[in-house]
């Protein structure tokens, strides 16, 4: 039975994420990572001033945060297992569930959709502002729906399937378990979201973190595109559209993750986004066969959940067979 515990922990973690997600006001590993990143960034900005020194300091910061996430999570479970194996598997399940954002993503989408469908546009705009960086105060209903769908599509990879990919990979390595690799990926994703910007003051500090996150996400992203294409029965269409449109996105992954949903749903994503006084034009992804509707949003959430369940089933089965 002990050999199957990584798969048991993975299954329990998935149930926990599906049932309760991340309870508000509970401590979360990402919060600790965020504090470490913020303190490290502040120190670098004060202590290093040349582009080269900031690049190397950013490399050290990135490796340190990821290393701490991997080693601390591994040692926590090791100590818990020393106390009692059931304590170890329980703690691993809880911490692993914190790496998945399936329920949180579902909640965020419905948090905006509910007032929008009730005709309360101001509330929908206010709710949306909690989840996206773009200005929301002047958005009409179609633009709100586009923002929600783009948020689901982009976060489906780094918040759902990529952490699951690394959890499955870790569960297949004897003596490791799924938590350390999933937590390491979560650290890389947090680094990218906090300092992986191509603008001052993070241009040099966050270069390594942005590139590393792109690298770690590349394979899970393509596997997600293939899985969703197969799941929808439109793999050829999905791949053709992604090859046509996703390559125009500056990110090697977000264009693919958004384009696959656009292709399957027959909608078009991308366009003009406003961030304060800055206007950013994102490449158009997919063909506008249908308008984006609340039904489109729910279909995207369903696709994400089914993809997660397929990977989970395959990962557990492979672990048990090995």
């Amino acid at each position: 039975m002990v050999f199957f515990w990584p798969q048991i922990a993975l299954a329990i973690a998935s149930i926990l994420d599906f049932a309760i997600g991340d309870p508000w006001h509970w401590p979360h590993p990402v919060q600790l990572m965020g504090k470490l990143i913020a303190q490290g960034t502040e120190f670098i900005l004060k202590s290093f001033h040349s582009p080269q020194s900031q690049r190397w300091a950013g490399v050290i910061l990135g490796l340190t945060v990821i290393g701490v996430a991997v080693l601390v999570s591994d040692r926590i479970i090791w100590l818990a297992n020393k106390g009692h194996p059931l304590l170890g598997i329980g703690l691993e399940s809880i911490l692993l569930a914190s790496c998945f954002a399936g329920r949180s993503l579902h909640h965020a989408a419905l948090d905006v959709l509910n007032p929008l469908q009730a005709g309360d546009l101001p509330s929908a705009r206010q709710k949306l502002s909690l989840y996206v960086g773009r200005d929301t105060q002047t958005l009409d209903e179609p633009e709100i729906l586009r923002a929600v769908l783009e948020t689901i599509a982009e976060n489906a990879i780094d918040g759902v399937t990529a952490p699951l990919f690394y959890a499955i990979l870790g569960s297949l390595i004897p003596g490791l378990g799924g938590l350390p690799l999933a937590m390491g990926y979560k650290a890389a994703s947090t680094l990218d979201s906090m300092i992986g910007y191509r603008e001052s003051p993070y241009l040099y500090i966050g270069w390594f973190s942005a590139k590393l996150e792109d690298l770690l996400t590349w394979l899970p992203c393509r596997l997600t595109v293939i899985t969703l294409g197969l799941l929808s029965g439109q793999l050829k269409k999905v791949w053709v559209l992604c090859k046509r449109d996703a390559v125009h996105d500056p990110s090697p992954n977000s264009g693919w993750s958004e384009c696959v949903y656009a292709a399957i749903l027959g909608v078009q994503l991308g366009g003009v986004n406003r961030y304060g006084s800055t206007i950013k034009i994102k490449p158009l992804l997919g063909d506008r066969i249908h308008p984006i509707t609340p039904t489109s949003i729910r279909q995207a959430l369903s696709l994400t959940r089914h993809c997660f369940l397929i990977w989970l089933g395959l990962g557990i089965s492979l672990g048990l067979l090995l």
Side-chain angles (χ1 to χ4, degrees), residues 59-178:
V59 171
I60 294 172
L61 174 63
L63 292 177
T64 299
V65 172
I66 294 171
V68 167
V70 171
L71 291 175
V72 169
S73 59
D74 180 69
R75 290 300 89 186
I76 286 175
I77 302 306
W78 182 80
L79 288 172
N81 282 325
K82 287 290 185 180
H84 194 282
L86 291 180
L87 176 61
I89 196 172
L91 188 56
E92 182 174 1
S93 300
I94 292 171
L95 290 174
L96 193 54
S98 73
C99 296
F100 304 143
R103 184 175 179 86
S104 298
L105 193 58
H106 190 272
H107 175 269
L110 296 186
D111 201 29
V112 179
L113 277 187
N114 289 335
L116 187 64
Q117 290 189 279
D120 189 353
L121 198 59
S123 292
R125 290 168 175 161
Q126 189 274 328
K127 294 288 188 181
L128 180 63
S129 69
L130 300 175
Y131 306 110
V132 300
R134 71 190 72 175
D135 291 344
T136 63
Q137 293 306 308
T138 60
L139 296 184
D140 57 13
E141 182 173 339
E143 284 297 297
I144 291 175
L145 289 170
R146 176 170 74 89
V148 173
L149 184 53
E150 288 176 350
T151 300
I152 293 171
E154 186 169 356
N155 287 281
I157 306 295
D158 56 21
V160 181
T161 58
L164 177 60
F165 172 83
Y166 285 102
I168 291 172
L169 184 62
S171 71
L172 299 178
I173 300 175
L176 181 61

Side-chain angles (χ1 to χ4, degrees), residues 222-242:
R222 271 61 182 179
L223 291 175
T224 301
V225 169
I226 292 172
T227 304
L228 291 175
L230 290 171
L231 191 60
S232 66
Q234 305 177 61
L235 179 58
K236 183 177 179 180
K237 173 187 173 182
V238 164
W239 198 257
V240 168
L241 282 178
C242 285

Side-chain angles (χ1 to χ4, degrees), residues 140-268:
D140 57 13
E141 182 173 339
E143 284 297 297
I144 291 175
L145 289 170
R146 176 170 74 89
V148 173
L149 184 53
E150 288 176 350
T151 300
I152 293 171
E154 186 169 356
N155 287 281
I157 306 295
D158 56 21
V160 181
T161 58
L164 177 60
F165 172 83
Y166 285 102
I168 291 172
L169 184 62
S171 71
L172 299 178
I173 300 175
L176 181 61
L179 180 62
L181 291 190
M183 201 63 76
Y185 176 80
K186 205 68 178 178
S189 179
T190 305
L191 280 158
D192 180 58
S193 65
M194 290 183 66
I195 62 174
Y197 297 103
R198 298 179 179 178
E199 56 190 38
S200 181
Y202 307 112
L203 180 60
Y204 303 110
I205 298 172
W207 170 82
F208 173 77
S209 295
K211 293 297 184 182
L212 181 61
E213 197 274 343
D214 286 343
L215 179 63
L216 293 175
T217 305
W218 192 92
L219 181 57
C221 178
R222 271 61 182 179
L223 291 175
T224 301
V225 169
I226 292 172
T227 304
L228 291 175
L230 290 171
L231 191 60
S232 66
Q234 305 177 61
L235 179 58
K236 183 177 179 180
K237 173 187 173 182
V238 164
W239 198 257
V240 168
L241 282 178
C242 285
K243 290 279 286 184
R244 186 192 75 183
D245 296 342
V247 293
H248 299 297
D249 194 286
S251 167
N253 298 310
S254 64
W256 283 78
S257 63
E258 292 182 25
C259 194
V260 61
Y261 285 90
I264 292 172
L265 298 173
V267 301
Q268 190 171 73

